[in-house]
Amino acid sequence: MISLEATVDERMFRQAMTRLAKCVAVTTALGPAGPVGCTTTSLMSLSVAPPSVLLAFHSGGRTLADLLAAGRFAVNVLSCEQDDLVRRFATGPAADRFQGVAYTIDDGVPVLADAAVRMTCHVRETLTAVDHTLVVGTVCDLRVGPTAPLVLVTGQPHTTVPTVPAPATADAYR
């Protein structure tokens, strides 16, 4: 019988996972007291037909509860110019997260201005996994902005720069 108990040091695991580049977004919903949101790095595309995304939230979070109650949410992939929002929506007081942040309400969901990518979604289904809730959202509206997205590596915001292939030389064709 294989043991399912973790034998890896939690601190070391967290440190290793921060070395993986990940898209950084702010997931938003409209709660009973107004807009709510949190920084999200557990985001992936799930399906093209229908267009769907998968997000993971800590199961006890306020944003998750409001998002599920609303039945809809927005994924705002931050642009390279929005690095100040990463920590604000990750650790700041929930009541202060939207203060001074440009947003509008679109189809009953708060959406951030100037996001690199913005998706409004309807909750399709949820699944509990360990201490997180996985949320599958069907994308109802998609907007792509002109700026590059922000990524996190080692917990720090970075921008992406495409690599350019080396020019071919005559020797490469021999």
Side-chain angles (χ1 to χ4, degrees):
M1 181 69 129
I2 297 175
S3 172
L4 296 179
E5 291 300 314
T7 57
V8 174
D9 177 69
E10 183 179 315
R11 186 180 52 74
M12 196 171 177
F13 178 74
R14 186 182 307 266
Q15 186 178 46
M17 291 299 101
T18 67
R19 292 177 177 258
L20 304 178
K22 43 193 130 340
C23 168
V24 61
V26 170
T27 302
T28 56
L30 197 54
V36 295
C38 64
T39 298
T40 308
T41 57
S42 298
L43 163 67
M44 64 177 266
S45 62
L46 182 62
S47 176
V48 173
S52 303
V53 292
L54 175 71
L55 298 94
F57 297 91
H58 189 270
S59 292
R62 176 182 144 208
T63 299
L64 174 64
D66 287 343
L67 178 153
L68 294 176
R72 64 181 95 187
F73 60 95
V75 177
N76 303 273
V77 176
L78 297 180
S79 79
C80 60
E81 299 166 353
Q82 295 177 305
D83 61 327
D84 60 314
L85 298 183
V86 175
R87 293 227 189 309
R88 174 192 283 240
F89 278 89
T91 60
D96 297 343
R97 292 182 181 177
F98 282 87
Q99 284 185 355
V101 175
Y103 73 93
T104 58
I105 303 295
D106 186 9
D107 192 28
V109 180
V111 293
L112 303 183
D114 304 322
V117 176
R118 184 182 87 201
M119 296 174 268
T120 54
C121 306
H122 288 270
V123 175
R124 184 176 183 98
E125 61 184 284
T126 63
L127 174 72
T128 301
V130 191
D131 62 347
H132 277 63
T133 299
L134 306 179
V135 176
V136 175
T138 301
V139 179
C140 302
D141 186 50
L142 173 66
R143 309 282 168 104
V144 178
T147 56
L150 192 65
V151 296
L152 288 182
V153 181
T154 61
Q156 299 300 313
H158 289 73
T159 58
T160 57
V161 178
T163 57
V164 179
T169 64
D171 291 334
Y173 296 106
R174 291 185 189 176

